[in-house]
């Protein structure tokens, strides 16, 4: 089975910083996308940041210039450095990855369990 395990969530004051990490484990042939999404109560899940093996990165408009995604595909890890945090950043953050489980197979999206980030005023 494939698992994505997140760490680093918690409580931080507005203006502070926090780093989330995620590691992918299980039977995996390849990964082509790793990223982060978040969901606040009563809101749709939204993209925070993602990066691809093609070298492209994408950020949600609300986190540009404040968050930075980094990944090590060989180690199957991805991190999210968050700075200048705002109360509106409060959400459950989910690690995600597009994974090929066997050679020549299809890629499918997998999700972590989610980790709570709370930013106080």
């Amino acid at each position: 089975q494939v698992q994505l395990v997140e760490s680093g969530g918690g409580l931080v004051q507005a203006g502070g910083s926090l780093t989330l990490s995620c590691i992918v484990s299980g039977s995996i042939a390849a990964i082509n996308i790793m990223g982060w999404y978040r969901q606040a109560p009563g809101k749709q899940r939204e993209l925070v940041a993602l990066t691809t093996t093609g070298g492209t990165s994408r950020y949600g408009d609300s986190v540009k210039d404040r968050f930075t995604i980094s990944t090590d595909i060989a180690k199957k890890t991805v991190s999210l450095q968050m700075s200048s945090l705002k109360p509106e950043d409060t959400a459950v953050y989910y690690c995600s990855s597009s994974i090929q489980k066997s050679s020549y197979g299809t890629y499918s999206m997998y999700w972590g369990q989610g980790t709570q980030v709370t930013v106080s005023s």
Side-chain angles (χ1 to χ4, degrees), residues 36-116:
W36 296 89
Y37 290 74
R38 68 186 184 186
Q39 187 168 22
K43 297 184 67 177
Q44 297 272 19
R45 186 173 298 186
E46 65 176 347
L47 172 70
V48 177
L50 63 81
T51 186
T52 74
T53 56
T56 62
S57 297
R58 179 183 172 190
Y59 292 88
D61 289 341
S62 63
V63 306
K64 276 183 174 292
D65 303 316
R66 298 190 299 119
F67 293 8
T68 301
I69 188 169
S70 61
T71 186
D72 187 331
I73 297 296
K75 294 183 177 180
K76 305 186 185 76
T77 60
V78 61
S79 296
L80 183 70
Q81 296 178 325
M82 304 183 291
S83 299
S84 301
L85 284 162
K86 306 173 182 179
E88 49 264 46
D89 294 319
T90 296
V92 177
Y93 284 69
Y94 296 90
C95 179
S96 65
S97 183
S98 179
I99 296 171
Q100 183 189 47
K101 292 189 67 177
S102 61
S103 297
Y104 308 108
T106 60
Y107 283 84
S108 299
M109 185 67 70
Y110 290 82
W111 298 88
Q113 76 284 354
T115 185
Q116 178 71 46

